[in-house]
Amino acid sequence: LTVPLRGQQLLVAFAGGADSLALLVLLCALRETLGLGLAAAHLDHALREESAEDARAAAAFCETLGIPFFCRREDVRKLAEEQGRGLEDAGRHARYAFLEQCRQDCGASWIVTAHHVGDLEEDILLRLVRGAAWPALGGMRAVLPERCVLRPLLMMEKRDLESLLERVGAVWREDASNESREWRRNRMRHDVLPLLHAENPSFSETARRLWRNAREDEVFWKERLEGVIEPCEDGLFLSRKALKALGRAGMLRAVAAAVKQMDCGQTRADILEAMLEAWEQSRFPRVFVFPGFLKAEMTGRGIRFYRSESR
Amino acid sequence: LTVPLRGQQLLVAFAGGADSLALLVLLCALRETLGLGLAAAHLDHALREESAEDARAAAAFCETLGIPFFCRREDVRKLAEEQGRGLEDAGRHARYAFLEQCRQDCGASWIVTAHHVGDLEEDILLRLVRGAAWPALGGMRAVLPERCVLRPLLMMEKRDLESLLERVGAVWREDASNESREWRRNRMRHDVLPLLHAENPSFSETARRLWRNAREDEVFWKERLEGVIEPCEDGLFLSRKALKALGRAGMLRAVAAAVKQMDCGQTRADILEAMLEAWEQSRFPRVFVFPGFLKAEMTGRGIRFYRSESR
């Protein structure tokens, strides 16, 4: 997927560490040539003592570069408790909600994040552990049109971003929580990934290749599912006829795509499998419940996806 | 894939550890009911001092059970040097060559191995590290018709096999090399997998689900590639027309399938990618060289796969 950036307004997700600082520096360097409009947004998660200081440093940096800066402080620990989510999950939700609001406020066409190939490697492992199906197992996408998110550095090495910063003399703040084993992501980064890199020093390239493999299959399935998922009065519908034509592998992707279109994030692979089995054995009518109040009603006619807060 | 076993002659790959002992015990228990003919084969890799003793113990066990026993001692270290392979690779080749010969000698329809879900988990990680593409990333198959190999325990837990042995009072020998960090497989087993199980105590089930996902896609691509790979005078041919109809994702699988049909094992993902790119940019005529003297000649007509020892 190629995204034309010339003349676009971009909102940079600016955490303040080396990665997002490098992204900001790179985009600033391209600003005139590409006629970019830039703004930056920073969500203070209020999880560490020094986070307010991080926010001030981010603001100062943007002022130096002449970039409009949005900032909000959110008590993520409280949010997590209120929403019954894990801390990482609550933080991610709060962050993307804030970024999306800023994007709309400043009229940007894209939110740009600084994820690099190290993040991709962690993401692939996290997905493997969580039980993602293919092609989701191949890791986060670089272009998410439906969420207006771009990850232009996803194929880059962190060390290249850091050496860029060193070359331009920029100083960045290390986030102490990057070291903490409290987070699963950090346990992958510090404990699992070094073992895989020891086995294969080109593991980054291997991760990139897996990612490209996943993107190819994503395109393939997307084209194949064209027109298969129909809108219905209160959600989406997969007809018996469409399901029959798709076969097992295709049905898996059709259901996953419908769940995603209903904005319920990643599908639980175990529910998908149970649905497939029920369908093949004609064990319906039956209702499957996904997180986020999404339901899938399976009958002889097909599968209807709808949202309902009732049990 | 369901394989009818009634009345079949089976050759058990009998290493002598808990896994293959449990397999042998299970098959003995089914012998009368299913009318199975059983034989066992053991390759002494001569890599450990006690390996000759292991072979004798295996022979004794088979004698007790009344099962014909084939045994050979092979200097795998020497083989590895001669063939320019790694020790694990050389051992696997020697083992399967010996098993296949025994299978033919005793008129068995299948070689049966004792791989369980723990082996599958290791295999998935090994494939991830090595850079396997999808669906190969999903791990070893349970049924390999072209190599007459069955892995009936692949979805089972090792602890269930061991508790079966304890219940029937069978004593097994621990292979000391299972602990050695000399082998990549063992490093995965002892160093990486425990970290993943700590994150997800149901990781075995996650691995099984990934495996099923891969098998579904394998079937899908197999059906889709039906008739696409044509035989030609000295190998296989993929026509321009067929490649055009397949698209990127399908072309990747067609080339991988052709390499496999030429009996060259797993494809190198990097060569596959380079071929895809060359094809899309019409950068031919060009010859790609795979391990095992396999070559792929790309021209405007399509891709021809053939074996040639010349440069």
Side-chain angles (χ1 to χ4, degrees):
Chain A
L1 234 65
T2 319
V3 177
L5 287 185
R6 187 171 294 279
Q8 297 287 305
Q9 176 75 21
L10 304 177
L11 178 76
V12 179
F14 187 39
D19 309 343
S20 58
L21 194 56
L23 174 62
L24 210 54
V25 166
L26 278 167
L27 288 174
C28 279
L30 294 168
R31 181 157 48 171
E32 287 215 14
T33 323
L34 292 180
L36 300 177
L38 295 179
H42 178 93
L43 185 72
D44 176 355
H45 292 54
L47 289 174
R48 293 170 296 109
E49 261 185 46
E50 66 278 20
S51 73
E53 184 52 43
D54 288 347
R56 274 190 294 276
F61 198 88
C62 287
E63 206 181 327
T64 313
L65 292 172
I67 291 174
F69 180 71
F70 299 86
C71 190
R72 186 195 293 169
R73 187 175 168 90
E74 194 89 74
D75 187 340
V76 168
R77 207 172 291 277
K78 204 173 129 208
L79 275 185
E81 278 168 28
E82 285 170 5
Q83 300 170 350
R85 298 184 195 265
L87 266 182
E88 278 170 296
D89 198 26
R92 187 171 45 243
H93 268 85
R95 199 160 59 243
Y96 277 104
F98 172 61
L99 289 168
E100 173 58 20
Q101 194 200 305
C102 294
R103 184 188 71 80
Q104 292 181 15
D105 289 351
C106 73
S109 40
W110 295 99
I111 295 163
V112 189
T113 77
H115 293 97
H116 51 71
V117 74
D119 298 312
L120 175 63
E121 293 169 37
E122 290 159 26
D123 193 42
I124 289 172
L125 283 181
L126 289 169
R127 287 168 189 245
L128 176 67
V129 163
R130 204 169 49 219
W134 186 262
L137 179 61
M140 64 178 99
R141 290 173 292 162
V143 184
L144 291 78
E146 77 286 5
R147 283 169 55 196
C148 303
V149 170
L150 284 185
R151 296 172 176 140
L153 309 181
L154 197 58
M155 297 292 105
M156 287 191 70
E157 301 278 347
K158 187 181 179 69
R159 62 169 173 272
D160 292 331
L161 299 179
E162 290 183 351
S163 73
L164 168 84
L165 290 181
E166 279 159 13
R167 232 176 303 165
V168 301
V171 180
W172 66 89
R173 295 171 67 86
E174 294 287 355
D175 180 343
S177 73
N178 281 342
E179 294 300 318
S180 162
R181 297 298 200 277
E182 193 190 340
W183 312 102
R184 178 182 277 183
R185 173 176 288 281
N186 291 350
R187 294 193 295 269
M188 294 294 144
R189 180 184 309 160
H190 297 301
D191 302 334
V192 182
L193 277 172
L195 298 174
L196 304 188
H197 279 273
E199 301 295 340
N200 175 3
S202 313
F203 186 70
S204 302
E205 183 49 31
T206 299
R208 277 189 280 256
R209 207 159 47 217
L210 188 68
W211 181 86
R212 289 191 293 263
N213 189 197
R215 297 289 78 79
E216 269 153 24
D217 279 13
E218 197 186 10
V219 168
F220 173 83
W221 286 111
K222 206 180 157 201
E223 284 173 4
R224 206 171 158 83
L225 293 181
E226 208 80 61
V228 161
I229 304 172
E230 307 162 40
C232 67
E233 71 279 14
D234 55 353
L236 299 170
F237 187 66
L238 286 170
S239 74
R240 177 187 194 85
K241 195 179 147 200
L243 288 172
K244 214 170 165 183
L246 283 172
R248 280 182 72 89
M251 178 171 167
L252 208 77
R253 272 67 186 214
V255 174
V259 171
K260 202 169 181 183
Q261 274 186 44
M262 294 291 288
D263 203 19
C264 286
Q266 282 176 34
T267 338
R268 293 242 324 257
D270 53 345
I271 307 185
L272 275 190
E273 259 199 349
M275 287 180 68
L276 218 73
E277 216 182 297
W279 179 257
E280 287 186 338
Q281 298 172 9
S282 301
R283 283 194 270 113
F284 39 70
R286 211 168 139 187
V287 175
F288 296 85
V289 183
F290 288 85
F293 305 112
L294 175 68
K295 292 186 180 165
E297 181 195 41
M298 185 182 288
T299 67
R301 289 182 53 233
I303 308 173
R304 181 172 69 100
F305 297 85
Y306 61 101
R307 222 177 269 276
S308 155
E309 304 209 3
S310 73
R311 304 238 148 188
Chain B
L1 234 65
T2 319
V3 177
L5 287 185
R6 188 171 293 279
Q8 297 288 304
Q9 175 75 21
L10 304 177
L11 178 76
V12 179
F14 187 39
D19 309 343
S20 58
L21 194 55
L23 175 62
L24 209 54
V25 167
L26 278 167
L27 288 174
C28 279
L30 293 168
R31 180 160 45 170
E32 288 215 12
T33 322
L34 292 181
L36 300 176
L38 295 180
H42 178 95
L43 185 72
D44 176 355
H45 292 54
L47 289 173
R48 293 170 295 112
E49 262 184 46
E50 67 279 20
S51 72
E53 184 51 44
D54 288 347
R56 276 191 292 276
F61 198 87
C62 287
E63 206 181 328
T64 314
L65 292 170
I67 292 175
F69 180 73
F70 300 85
C71 190
R72 185 194 294 167
R73 186 176 170 90
E74 193 90 76
D75 187 340
V76 169
R77 206 174 292 276
K78 203 173 129 210
L79 275 184
E81 278 167 28
E82 285 170 6
Q83 300 170 350
R85 298 184 196 264
L87 267 184
E88 279 168 295
D89 199 25
R92 187 172 44 244
H93 268 85
R95 199 161 58 245
Y96 277 103
F98 172 61
L99 289 168
E100 174 57 18
Q101 195 201 304
C102 294
R103 183 189 72 80
Q104 293 180 15
D105 289 350
C106 73
S109 39
W110 295 99
I111 296 163
V112 189
T113 77
H115 293 95
H116 50 73
V117 73
D119 298 312
L120 175 63
E121 293 170 36
E122 289 159 28
D123 193 43
I124 289 172
L125 282 181
L126 289 169
R127 287 167 188 245
L128 176 67
V129 163
R130 204 170 47 218
W134 186 261
L137 180 61
M140 62 179 99
R141 288 173 294 161
V143 183
L144 290 77
E146 79 285 8
R147 283 170 56 198
C148 302
V149 171
L150 285 186
R151 296 173 177 139
L153 309 181
L154 196 58
M155 297 293 104
M156 288 191 69
E157 300 280 345
K158 186 181 181 67
R159 62 168 173 274
D160 292 332
L161 300 178
E162 291 183 349
S163 72
L164 168 83
L165 290 181
E166 280 160 12
R167 234 177 300 166
V168 301
V171 180
W172 66 90
R173 296 171 66 85
E174 293 287 355
D175 179 345
S177 74
N178 281 342
E179 295 300 318
S180 161
R181 297 296 201 278
E182 194 191 340
W183 312 101
R184 178 182 276 183
R185 173 175 288 280
N186 291 350
R187 294 193 295 269
M188 293 294 144
R189 180 184 310 161
H190 297 300
D191 302 334
V192 182
L193 277 173
L195 299 174
L196 303 188
H197 279 274
E199 302 294 340
N200 175 4
S202 313
F203 186 70
S204 302
E205 182 49 34
T206 298
R208 278 189 280 256
R209 207 158 48 217
L210 188 68
W211 182 86
R212 290 193 292 263
N213 189 195
R215 298 289 78 80
E216 270 151 23
D217 279 14
E218 197 186 10
V219 168
F220 173 83
W221 286 112
K222 205 178 159 207
E223 284 173 4
R224 208 173 155 81
L225 293 182
E226 208 79 61
V228 161
I229 304 172
E230 306 163 39
C232 67
E233 71 277 17
D234 54 354
L236 299 170
F237 186 66
L238 287 169
S239 73
R240 177 188 195 85
K241 196 179 147 200
L243 288 172
K244 215 169 165 183
L246 283 172
R248 280 182 72 89
M251 176 172 169
L252 208 76
R253 271 70 186 214
V255 174
V259 172
K260 200 167 179 187
Q261 274 186 42
M262 294 291 288
D263 203 19
C264 287
Q266 282 177 37
T267 340
R268 292 245 325 259
D270 53 345
I271 307 185
L272 276 189
E273 260 200 348
M275 286 182 68
L276 217 73
E277 216 182 296
W279 179 257
E280 288 186 336
Q281 298 171 10
S282 302
R283 283 194 269 112
F284 39 71
R286 213 170 139 185
V287 175
F288 296 86
V289 183
F290 288 85
F293 306 112
L294 175 68
K295 294 187 180 165
E297 180 196 42
M298 187 183 286
T299 66
R301 289 181 54 233
I303 309 172
R304 181 172 69 100
F305 297 85
Y306 60 102
R307 222 177 269 276
S308 155
E309 304 210 4
S310 73
R311 302 239 150 190

